[in-house]
Amino acid sequence: MAIIEVSHMKKSFGPLDVLKDVSFDIQRNEVVAVIGPSGSGKSTMLRSLVHLEEINGGSIKVQDQYLVKDGAYSAPKQIKTITSRMGMVFQHFNLFPHLTVQENLALAPKYVKKESKDEVNRRGTALLQKVGLADKAGVYPANLSGGQKQRVAIARALMMNPDILLFDEPTSALDPELTGEVLEVIKQLARENMTMIIVTHEMGFARDVADRILFMDHGQVIESGTPEQIFYHPKTDRTREFLNRAMR
Protein backbone atom coordinates (compact mmCIF):
# COMPACT_ATOMS: atom_id res chain seq x y z
CA MET A 1 0.00 0.00 0.00
CA ALA A 2 1.40 3.40 -0.98
CA ILE A 3 2.07 5.68 1.96
CA ILE A 4 3.02 8.59 -0.35
CA GLU A 5 1.62 9.19 -3.83
CA VAL A 6 2.99 12.01 -6.00
CA SER A 7 1.27 12.80 -9.31
CA HIS A 8 2.41 15.25 -12.00
CA MET A 9 4.26 17.48 -9.49
CA LYS A 10 5.57 20.72 -10.96
CA LYS A 11 7.64 23.46 -9.36
CA SER A 12 9.10 26.63 -10.85
CA PHE A 13 11.26 29.40 -9.47
CA GLY A 14 10.35 32.26 -11.78
CA PRO A 15 11.13 31.14 -15.34
CA LEU A 16 13.15 28.14 -14.13
CA ASP A 17 11.25 24.83 -14.14
CA VAL A 18 12.82 22.85 -11.29
CA LEU A 19 10.32 19.97 -11.25
CA LYS A 20 8.62 18.86 -14.46
CA ASP A 21 5.75 16.40 -14.19
CA VAL A 22 7.23 14.25 -11.40
CA SER A 23 5.22 11.16 -10.42
CA PHE A 24 6.12 8.30 -8.06
CA ASP A 25 4.84 6.48 -5.00
CA ILE A 26 6.42 5.17 -1.82
CA GLN A 27 5.24 1.95 -0.18
CA ARG A 28 5.00 1.52 3.59
CA ASN A 29 8.28 0.22 5.10
CA GLU A 30 10.11 0.92 1.83
CA VAL A 31 13.52 2.59 1.62
CA VAL A 32 13.83 4.70 -1.52
CA ALA A 33 17.09 6.38 -2.50
CA VAL A 34 16.93 9.37 -4.84
CA ILE A 35 20.06 9.89 -6.90
CA GLY A 36 21.04 12.24 -9.71
CA PRO A 37 23.33 15.15 -10.56
CA SER A 38 23.34 18.45 -8.67
CA GLY A 39 20.52 20.71 -9.77
CA SER A 40 18.26 17.85 -10.86
CA GLY A 41 15.48 18.80 -8.42
CA LYS A 42 16.03 16.09 -5.79
CA SER A 43 16.06 18.36 -2.73
CA THR A 44 13.21 20.52 -4.01
CA MET A 45 11.11 17.41 -4.50
CA LEU A 46 11.89 16.22 -0.97
CA ARG A 47 11.19 19.61 0.62
CA SER A 48 7.87 19.79 -1.23
CA LEU A 49 6.68 16.62 0.51
CA VAL A 50 6.80 18.38 3.90
CA HIS A 51 5.55 21.74 2.59
CA LEU A 52 8.90 23.49 2.90
CA GLU A 53 8.38 24.34 -0.78
CA GLU A 54 5.03 24.98 -2.44
CA ILE A 55 4.49 23.25 -5.75
CA ASN A 56 2.83 24.94 -8.73
CA GLY A 57 0.93 21.94 -10.02
CA GLY A 58 0.13 18.30 -9.38
CA SER A 59 -0.85 16.34 -6.28
CA ILE A 60 0.82 14.97 -3.13
CA LYS A 61 -1.10 12.42 -1.05
CA VAL A 62 0.23 11.09 2.26
CA GLN A 63 -1.55 8.19 3.96
CA ASP A 64 -4.64 8.77 1.83
CA GLN A 65 -4.87 12.47 2.70
CA TYR A 66 -4.10 15.17 0.17
CA LEU A 67 -1.46 17.71 1.09
CA VAL A 68 -2.14 19.29 -2.28
CA LYS A 69 -4.54 18.17 -5.01
CA ASP A 70 -4.22 19.40 -8.59
CA GLY A 71 -2.18 22.38 -7.37
CA ALA A 72 -4.65 23.39 -4.61
CA TYR A 73 -3.41 23.00 -1.04
CA SER A 74 -5.53 21.62 1.79
CA ALA A 75 -6.52 23.72 4.80
CA PRO A 76 -3.62 24.69 7.11
CA LYS A 77 -4.83 22.37 9.88
CA GLN A 78 -4.77 19.35 7.55
CA ILE A 79 -1.37 20.36 6.17
CA LYS A 80 -0.02 20.46 9.73
CA THR A 81 -1.53 17.04 10.50
CA ILE A 82 -0.06 15.49 7.35
CA THR A 83 3.42 16.99 7.69
CA SER A 84 3.61 16.03 11.39
CA ARG A 85 3.77 12.40 10.28
CA MET A 86 7.06 13.02 8.51
CA GLY A 87 10.47 13.76 9.98
CA MET A 88 13.17 15.60 8.02
CA VAL A 89 16.93 15.36 8.44
CA PHE A 90 18.81 18.16 6.71
CA GLN A 91 22.25 18.36 5.17
CA HIS A 92 23.50 20.94 7.68
CA PHE A 93 22.03 19.50 10.91
CA ASN A 94 20.03 22.67 11.89
CA LEU A 95 20.61 22.14 15.62
CA PHE A 96 20.03 25.06 17.99
CA PRO A 97 23.53 26.06 19.16
CA HIS A 98 22.35 27.56 22.48
CA LEU A 99 20.62 24.33 23.54
CA THR A 100 22.21 21.10 24.78
CA VAL A 101 21.72 17.88 22.84
CA GLN A 102 18.94 16.80 25.21
CA GLU A 103 17.25 20.20 24.93
CA ASN A 104 17.41 20.05 21.13
CA LEU A 105 15.62 16.70 21.22
CA ALA A 106 13.01 17.86 23.77
CA LEU A 107 11.97 21.12 22.12
CA ALA A 108 9.41 19.95 19.54
CA PRO A 109 7.74 17.16 21.59
CA LYS A 110 7.41 19.51 24.55
CA TYR A 111 5.97 22.51 22.74
CA VAL A 112 4.29 20.98 19.68
CA LYS A 113 2.94 17.74 21.16
CA LYS A 114 2.70 19.03 24.75
CA GLU A 115 4.34 15.88 26.09
CA SER A 116 5.44 15.70 29.72
CA LYS A 117 9.03 16.50 30.66
CA ASP A 118 9.54 12.99 32.07
CA GLU A 119 8.29 11.29 28.90
CA VAL A 120 10.37 13.56 26.67
CA ASN A 121 13.51 12.95 28.72
CA ARG A 122 12.90 9.19 28.77
CA ARG A 123 12.57 8.96 24.99
CA GLY A 124 15.43 11.37 24.44
CA THR A 125 17.74 9.20 26.53
CA ALA A 126 16.63 6.06 24.68
CA LEU A 127 17.15 7.63 21.25
CA LEU A 128 20.57 9.01 22.13
CA GLN A 129 21.54 5.50 23.18
CA LYS A 130 20.16 4.20 19.87
CA VAL A 131 22.38 6.55 17.83
CA GLY A 132 25.41 5.92 20.05
CA LEU A 133 25.46 9.26 21.87
CA ALA A 134 24.16 8.41 25.34
CA ASP A 135 27.06 10.31 26.91
CA LYS A 136 26.39 13.56 24.98
CA ALA A 137 23.01 14.61 26.44
CA GLY A 138 24.38 17.65 28.26
CA VAL A 139 26.81 18.72 25.52
CA TYR A 140 26.30 21.73 23.23
CA PRO A 141 26.44 21.24 19.43
CA ALA A 142 29.67 23.27 19.12
CA ASN A 143 31.44 20.48 21.01
CA LEU A 144 30.30 17.71 18.68
CA SER A 145 31.82 16.41 15.47
CA GLY A 146 29.84 16.69 12.25
CA GLY A 147 28.92 13.02 12.39
CA GLN A 148 27.71 13.37 15.97
CA LYS A 149 25.62 16.42 15.05
CA GLN A 150 23.94 14.52 12.25
CA ARG A 151 23.20 11.58 14.54
CA VAL A 152 21.62 14.03 17.02
CA ALA A 153 19.57 15.44 14.13
CA ILE A 154 18.31 11.93 13.31
CA ALA A 155 17.40 11.33 16.96
CA ARG A 156 15.59 14.69 17.02
CA ALA A 157 13.51 13.70 13.99
CA LEU A 158 12.65 10.37 15.63
CA MET A 159 11.46 12.17 18.78
CA MET A 160 8.26 13.12 16.94
CA ASN A 161 7.47 9.44 16.21
CA PRO A 162 7.21 9.96 12.45
CA ASP A 163 5.78 7.36 10.09
CA ILE A 164 8.17 8.51 7.35
CA LEU A 165 11.72 9.88 7.52
CA LEU A 166 13.14 12.12 4.80
CA PHE A 167 16.90 12.63 4.44
CA ASP A 168 18.35 15.42 2.30
CA GLU A 169 21.99 14.54 1.53
CA PRO A 170 22.63 13.49 5.16
CA THR A 171 26.37 12.96 4.68
CA SER A 172 27.38 15.60 2.12
CA ALA A 173 28.53 18.10 4.79
CA LEU A 174 30.67 15.48 6.55
CA ASP A 175 34.30 14.51 6.24
CA PRO A 176 34.61 11.04 4.66
CA GLU A 177 35.74 9.40 7.92
CA LEU A 178 32.56 10.61 9.68
CA THR A 179 30.17 9.46 6.97
CA GLY A 180 30.13 5.82 8.03
CA GLU A 181 28.77 6.43 11.51
CA VAL A 182 25.76 8.30 10.11
CA LEU A 183 25.10 5.75 7.38
CA GLU A 184 25.19 2.97 9.98
CA VAL A 185 22.37 4.64 11.94
CA ILE A 186 20.30 4.91 8.74
CA LYS A 187 21.02 1.26 7.91
CA GLN A 188 19.75 0.28 11.38
CA LEU A 189 16.52 2.23 10.76
CA ALA A 190 16.15 0.38 7.44
CA ARG A 191 16.52 -2.94 9.27
CA GLU A 192 13.71 -1.78 11.58
CA ASN A 193 11.45 -1.18 8.54
CA MET A 194 11.26 2.60 8.85
CA THR A 195 9.79 4.13 5.69
CA MET A 196 12.51 6.41 4.31
CA ILE A 197 13.26 8.59 1.31
CA ILE A 198 16.96 9.39 1.11
CA VAL A 199 18.43 11.92 -1.30
CA THR A 200 22.06 10.88 -1.45
CA HIS A 201 25.27 11.03 -3.47
CA GLU A 202 26.60 7.90 -1.74
CA MET A 203 26.09 5.38 -4.54
CA GLY A 204 27.37 2.35 -2.63
CA PHE A 205 25.06 3.14 0.28
CA ALA A 206 22.06 3.61 -2.04
CA ARG A 207 22.80 0.31 -3.76
CA ASP A 208 23.17 -1.62 -0.48
CA VAL A 209 20.33 -0.14 1.59
CA ALA A 210 17.52 0.96 -0.74
CA ASP A 211 14.65 -1.23 -1.86
CA ARG A 212 14.19 1.07 -4.84
CA ILE A 213 16.14 3.81 -6.62
CA LEU A 214 14.76 6.93 -8.29
CA PHE A 215 17.14 8.56 -10.74
CA MET A 216 16.34 12.24 -11.35
CA ASP A 217 17.74 14.63 -13.94
CA HIS A 218 16.56 18.03 -15.18
CA GLY A 219 13.54 18.01 -12.87
CA GLN A 220 12.23 14.63 -13.96
CA VAL A 221 12.30 11.03 -12.75
CA ILE A 222 14.24 9.46 -15.60
CA GLU A 223 14.23 5.92 -14.25
CA SER A 224 12.94 3.95 -11.27
CA GLY A 225 13.80 0.41 -10.29
CA THR A 226 15.53 -1.93 -7.88
CA PRO A 227 19.21 -1.31 -7.09
CA GLU A 228 20.06 -4.37 -9.21
CA GLN A 229 18.21 -2.93 -12.20
CA ILE A 230 19.42 0.68 -11.88
CA PHE A 231 23.07 -0.04 -11.10
CA TYR A 232 23.66 -3.08 -13.29
CA HIS A 233 20.99 -2.96 -16.00
CA PRO A 234 19.95 0.71 -16.48
CA LYS A 235 17.39 1.26 -19.20
CA THR A 236 18.40 4.75 -20.30
CA ASP A 237 21.65 6.13 -21.64
CA ARG A 238 21.39 9.07 -19.22
CA THR A 239 21.24 6.77 -16.18
CA ARG A 240 24.19 4.76 -17.50
CA GLU A 241 26.23 7.90 -18.16
CA PHE A 242 25.56 9.30 -14.68
CA LEU A 243 26.47 6.05 -12.93
CA ASN A 244 29.65 5.63 -14.95
CA ARG A 245 30.81 8.99 -13.58
CA ALA A 246 29.43 8.62 -10.05
CA MET A 247 30.85 5.15 -9.45
CA ARG A 248 34.44 5.98 -10.44
Side-chain angles (χ1 to χ4, degrees):
M1 175 185 170
I3 194 168
I4 296 177
E5 298 171 69
V6 174
S7 305
H8 307 296
M9 180 162 63
K10 298 182 174 108
K11 171 66 179 177
S12 300
F13 292 110
L16 179 64
D17 293 329
V18 180
L19 298 175
K20 309 168 187 173
D21 201 22
V22 171
S23 297
F24 62 89
D25 57 42
I26 307 293
Q27 302 300 309
R28 189 178 296 277
N29 305 132
E30 189 177 32
V31 179
V32 175
V34 185
I35 64 173
S38 297
S40 58
K42 306 184 301 295
S43 293
T44 300
M45 176 277 291
L46 200 71
R47 290 170 62 84
S48 298
L49 298 180
V50 285
H51 199 226
L52 292 175
E53 300 284 357
E54 287 205 355
I55 63 174
N56 306 119
S59 303
I60 300 171
K61 187 157 67 167
V62 181
Q63 295 176 319
D64 286 329
Q65 288 189 303
Y66 279 102
L67 178 71
V68 52
K69 184 176 182 181
D70 298 328
Y73 276 86
S74 297
K77 186 175 181 181
Q78 180 158 325
I79 290 174
K80 185 176 179 182
T81 298
I82 292 170
T83 56
S84 71
R85 298 172 188 153
M86 294 182 275
M88 182 97 174
V89 179
F90 299 91
Q91 179 177 342
H92 293 292
F93 326 127
N94 290 5
L95 300 177
F96 291 104
H98 63 291
L99 301 179
T100 65
V101 165
Q102 181 74 32
E103 289 166 344
N104 266 280
L105 265 59
L107 197 62
K110 192 182 294 184
Y111 292 104
V112 177
K113 289 197 167 183
K114 311 297 183 187
E115 293 183 7
S116 72
K117 182 178 179 181
D118 287 347
E119 171 63 14
V120 168
N121 287 340
R122 182 192 66 77
R123 284 200 296 115
T125 299
L127 283 170
L128 287 177
Q129 187 163 1
K130 182 186 184 78
V131 300
L133 294 172
D135 59 336
K136 302 296 183 183
V139 172
Y140 288 92
N143 296 315
L144 299 175
S145 70
Q148 289 171 334
K149 289 176 186 175
Q150 193 61 293
R151 284 187 281 156
V152 171
I154 294 171
R156 181 180 60 181
L158 291 169
M159 283 291 288
M160 297 297 281
N161 292 318
D163 296 320
I164 305 156
L165 267 184
L166 311 178
F167 293 85
D168 188 11
E169 297 277 15
T171 61
S172 64
L174 303 179
D175 293 332
E177 65 266 26
L178 301 177
T179 295
E181 64 192 53
V182 174
L183 296 183
E184 187 52 47
V185 171
I186 300 173
K187 287 178 182 178
Q188 179 59 38
L189 292 172
R191 290 191 285 268
E192 294 169 6
N193 294 319
M194 171 64 76
T195 306
M196 293 186 282
I197 307 175
I198 308 166
V199 170
T200 183
H201 64 283
E202 298 282 346
M203 296 298 113
F205 170 72
R207 182 187 58 208
D208 295 343
V209 172
D211 301 303
R212 190 153 47 98
I213 307 286
L214 298 182
F215 171 59
M216 290 185 67
D217 192 24
H218 291 103
Q220 296 177 299
V221 176
I222 304 296
E223 193 167 347
S224 172
T226 64
E228 168 78 17
Q229 178 193 319
I230 296 296
F231 283 98
Y232 301 109
H233 310 287
K235 293 178 180 176
T236 71
D237 290 341
R238 182 66 190 100
T239 306
R240 193 174 298 109
E241 176 190 343
F242 170 78
L243 290 172
N244 284 341
R245 291 179 180 174
M247 298 293 281
R248 281 177 187 166

